[in-house]
Amino acid sequence: MKNFISAHDVKNIDSLVQAALAYKADPFKDKKLGADKRIGMLFLNPSMRTRLSTQIAAQNLGAEAIVFNVDKEGWALEFEEEAIMSGSKVEHVKDAAPIMGNYFDILCIRTFPGLKNKEEDYSELYINQFVKYSGIPVVSLESSTLHPLQSLTDIITISETLGFPRLEIKRRPKIVLTWAPHVKALPQAVANSFSQWINAWGQADFVITHPEDYELDEQFTKGATITHNQDEALKDADFVYVKNWSTFTDYGKIYCNDPEWMLTQEKLKATNNGKVMHCLPVRRNVELSDEILDSPSSIVTREASNRVWAAQAVLAELLKK
Ligand code: CP
């Protein structure tokens, strides 16, 4: 693994899951691996889970994680090639990234999409410029279109719930990704990434359900069954992944915000005692009801806690290189 930006950077997802669960069982077993190593964590957007779990993961490996809130504490960065920098941007990534490449051994970056210009967001300019100019491994802490550490965590959590390793696979689990209402236009990154990783993992029957006009980019969803009928999708589901996203085709809009799409205990009855997942933060009683979040069906806290082991497995693999 050279960088950790998408599922395509990982040769064997199950090996990474196994490594993560081994860290969960014994967090400090590689505490010397990161000795004298520095991990830069650049945030262009807010975070709670990603920031804290990655810092803890680095510390478990004996590495030092240095957090830099670029959006609040740094110079405004220009990312466009050949830009005439007569506006508000103070420093070009071409100048900043190689310096960070000298300061750090691994660079982790979080950046959100603007949701105004699809081509710009889907070009992943920000993270790609850091890959191009830093000269060190880059880890996505969520980019414009993907959230790989979250998706790896999600597969770890699903695998753990099913029992890992599954020596006797009797039945492929049914995993449903369902759209949920929200008050804001949110990125497609978590939904894209979950789809990409579940498809790459290839060990589940994968169904995506959303209202009309919320189709995701086919490059991530290809292979999944897609339906606008949520009730139909939920039938016999083993895992229900709840997430809002804004429109992809007519980019970054909210078309439908029908509260009927919020998952309830009544709807969950159609599942196979389905476990409910969400990346968090969650808008209670908008995206997901209290009755589900506070019930044994919800595994969101374990899912978020597993973020540490996903980050530790990824950082360890990059440090070993
Ligand atoms: N799920 C997730 O990425 O959470 P944060 O935004 O708090 O990091």
Side-chain angles (χ1 to χ4, degrees):
M1 196 196 311
K2 277 165 67 183
N3 300 294
F4 185 77
I5 311 281
S6 90
H8 303 312
D9 293 314
V10 179
K11 275 204 188 93
N12 186 329
I13 292 175
D14 269 339
S15 296
L16 212 48
V17 169
Q18 195 165 11
L21 290 174
Y23 282 128
K24 185 167 184 172
D26 187 0
F28 306 112
K29 72 189 180 76
D30 281 336
K31 67 179 177 202
K32 294 200 174 117
L33 185 63
D36 305 325
K37 303 287 182 195
R38 287 201 190 92
I39 296 170
M41 296 177 57
L42 310 188
F43 285 87
L44 285 88
N45 300 96
S47 163
M48 190 267 263
R49 279 145 289 267
T50 309
R51 174 179 172 148
L52 296 178
S53 62
T54 311
Q55 278 182 288
I56 294 166
Q59 203 166 35
N60 287 350
L61 294 167
E64 185 182 7
I66 296 177
V67 174
F68 182 30
N69 295 308
V70 184
D71 57 334
K72 296 186 188 72
E73 299 156 1
W75 300 115
L77 289 176
E78 175 63 64
F79 288 87
E80 291 292 343
E81 296 289 346
E82 297 174 21
I84 298 169
M85 291 174 58
S86 55
S88 58
K89 306 285 176 60
V90 178
E91 181 162 27
H92 203 283
V93 68
K94 219 171 176 171
D95 301 310
I99 298 166
M100 293 179 190
N102 286 337
Y103 291 163
F104 301 116
D105 299 283
I106 296 174
L107 199 54
C108 308
I109 298 146
R110 167 170 279 205
T111 170
F112 287 165
L115 290 181
K116 299 268 186 291
N117 182 325
K118 186 185 344 189
E119 284 68 38
E120 197 174 294
D121 289 345
Y122 274 67
S123 76
E124 290 284 13
L125 179 69
Y126 290 8
I127 205 146
N128 285 336
Q129 291 290 62
F130 275 108
V131 170
K132 185 171 173 187
Y133 291 117
S134 69
I136 57 172
V138 171
V139 173
S140 167
L141 299 174
E142 187 171 349
S143 67
S144 296
T145 67
L146 293 169
H147 196 352
L149 278 175
Q150 179 66 52
S151 308
L152 173 59
T153 304
D154 297 333
I155 293 182
I156 291 165
T157 308
I158 290 167
S159 299
E160 186 184 35
T161 306
L162 292 169
F164 187 89
R166 294 173 68 208
L167 297 172
E168 240 185 271
I169 301 176
K170 294 195 179 73
R171 184 175 65 82
R172 285 159 69 83
K174 179 174 175 182
I175 300 176
V176 177
L177 167 63
T178 180
W179 183 90
H182 203 284
V183 291
K184 273 179 69 182
L186 295 189
Q188 297 99 34
V190 170
N192 285 344
S193 195
F194 187 73
S195 304
Q196 185 195 50
W197 279 75
I198 294 295
N199 280 328
W201 189 47
Q203 296 186 28
D205 292 334
F206 183 37
V207 179
I208 303 173
T209 183
H210 54 71
E212 281 180 37
D213 303 316
Y214 280 88
E215 275 72 25
L216 293 163
D217 189 340
E218 211 188 2
Q219 67 167 306
F220 306 117
T221 60
K222 205 167 179 192
T225 303
I226 300 170
T227 171
H228 298 146
N229 186 334
Q230 191 191 40
D231 292 336
E232 186 64 34
L234 290 173
K235 265 185 207 156
D236 302 323
D238 298 292
F239 295 91
V240 185
Y241 200 96
V242 179
K243 185 71 185 92
N244 169 270
W245 60 88
S246 59
T247 54
F248 169 70
T249 307
D250 180 21
Y251 192 58
K253 308 272 190 320
I254 299 178
Y255 271 31
C256 149
N257 223 358
D258 185 353
E260 281 299 310
W261 274 83
M262 185 177 76
L263 193 66
T264 58
Q265 282 291 10
E266 189 54 36
K267 289 186 186 185
L268 209 58
K269 282 181 187 163
T271 67
N272 179 31
N273 191 24
K275 296 294 176 211
V276 178
M277 304 176 71
H278 188 289
C279 63
L280 305 181
V282 64
R283 298 265 186 161
R284 277 179 176 252
N285 302 311
V286 176
E287 281 182 276
L288 253 176
S289 60
D290 276 342
E291 58 171 5
I292 287 196
L293 281 165
D294 299 333
S295 79
S297 303
S298 167
I299 55 171
V300 300
T301 305
R302 182 149 55 84
E303 182 186 358
S305 307
N306 281 341
R307 291 290 307 269
V308 172
W309 319 117
Q312 195 164 337
V314 169
L315 293 179
E317 184 148 338
L318 293 171
L319 287 168
K320 280 175 193 162
K321 296 259 156 74

